[in-house]
Amino acid sequence: HTLEPLELPAIKCVSLLLEHCPEAVLDQYEPPLAFLLLATLQISRSSSSLAQAATAIGNLSGTGSQGTVFAELVGLARDAMAGAGTCTEANREAVGVRSAAMLDAAGRLSSTQEQEFAVASVVLSAMRSTEAPVAICGLRAAGELCSRGTQDGPGFSSHLGAEILAVMAEHRDEDDGVAEAAAQALRRVCKAQPGAVQVALIATLSLAEGDGRPEATRKAARANLFALATAFQEQVRQTVQGLPPTAAERLQDAIRLHMQEARG
């Protein structure tokens, strides 16, 4: 605990070294720096440190450590998510955050199509798990990977977006938290792929409705609708204009209800 305040400045220093060091110097110090970043992802309790370490690892792309670090990250994340079903409920959130950071780092580090597919397959396997805690971890990682596009396009959201929708539909009537996690992941897909906003709105609206659906699921879906409407105002406005009047009213009613609930 006493080291936590020092983590973020230390990781930023490592990141700067990896980004700006001359190659001759970097060759000498790259392995211990890579080890330090991997250790951070394994032991840190700070979400900021985890995110910063994941970003810094991206600077190892094209270096001698790239392949080793990539394989280590994928293996660690797979093991962490697989164990989510057996760890205590209090630790599940931490496992989800940590495994998402590891796979985000692996995604940033991936330099070939094979490596990108390796990351996506680990996430897909977890998302499809019959164990709800494992599926939720996978969806958290999927959201992290999908939230950033690439220079060439939507990146991981093209691999995972449809699968997130499928998981949401499969769990929509179950009181296990998976559908809510899928709705959150789908919202993050929209960051990299604004064209997905319409699909996300319609899918999340269907999650917010239905008398037999768990109230926690419906409430979380309404909160996600509000978040989508706030973050993507123009796309939402266009979507609402294109909807049949009854659907547009249902969407507005769901968002209004969320705002009333938020006010208490």
Side-chain angles (χ1 to χ4, degrees):
H1 290 296
T2 54
L3 292 176
E4 276 188 33
L6 301 175
E7 280 180 359
L8 206 51
I11 295 165
K12 285 180 178 175
C13 288
V14 172
S15 186
L16 286 168
L17 280 168
L18 288 171
E19 198 171 349
H20 299 293
C21 249
E23 263 186 55
V25 178
L26 187 57
D27 286 346
Q28 184 180 351
Y29 290 104
E30 173 202 314
L33 292 176
F35 173 80
L36 196 146
L37 292 172
L38 272 173
T40 300
L41 286 173
Q42 290 178 75
I43 65 175
S44 177
R45 300 182 184 189
S46 161
S47 56
S48 298
S49 295
L50 289 169
Q52 187 71 39
T55 303
I57 278 178
N59 291 319
L60 291 169
S61 186
T63 67
S65 299
Q66 193 264 354
T68 305
V69 173
F70 177 84
E72 186 78 7
L73 285 168
V74 171
L76 286 168
R78 184 190 292 114
D79 292 346
M81 290 193 294
T86 55
C87 68
T88 64
E89 195 166 339
N91 287 333
R92 282 176 189 166
E93 178 79 8
V95 170
V97 173
R98 191 182 309 285
S99 54
M102 287 174 176
L103 286 167
D104 182 33
R108 292 173 188 275
L109 201 53
S110 58
S111 58
T112 65
Q113 197 172 49
E114 288 78 8
Q115 287 183 330
E116 195 171 292
F117 283 144
V119 175
S121 67
V122 171
V123 177
L124 285 170
S125 177
M127 280 166 54
R128 293 168 177 158
S129 173
T130 54
E131 294 182 75
V134 179
I136 290 168
C137 277
L139 287 161
R140 182 189 285 276
E144 194 67 51
L145 287 165
C146 290
S147 64
R148 51 183 178 79
T150 67
Q151 291 180 345
D152 302 320
F156 280 94
S157 62
S158 60
H159 297 310
L160 302 173
E163 291 290 340
I164 293 169
L165 270 173
V167 172
M168 183 194 285
E170 192 176 328
H171 288 264
R172 62 196 300 172
D173 295 323
E174 296 177 29
D175 192 12
D176 56 9
V178 175
E180 295 97 300
Q184 289 173 2
L186 192 60
R187 194 177 87 214
R188 303 199 73 186
V189 169
C190 298
K191 285 187 178 181
Q193 208 172 356
V197 170
Q198 182 172 352
V199 174
L201 274 174
I202 303 304
T204 310
L205 177 61
S206 72
L207 201 64
E209 298 176 328
D211 292 337
R213 199 148 295 142
E215 181 53 31
T217 300
R218 295 164 67 187
K219 190 171 183 178
R222 291 193 291 269
N224 274 296
L225 283 173
F226 176 75
L228 280 167
T230 304
F232 304 98
Q233 292 181 20
E234 182 55 28
Q235 291 96 323
V236 170
R237 187 184 64 78
Q238 291 173 5
T239 298
V240 170
Q241 285 179 345
L243 289 174
T246 52
E249 285 171 19
R250 282 161 41 214
L251 179 60
Q252 290 163 345
D253 286 346
I255 292 172
R256 197 176 296 117
L257 179 54
H258 165 75
M259 294 173 72
Q260 288 171 359
E261 289 171 341
R263 284 195 296 266

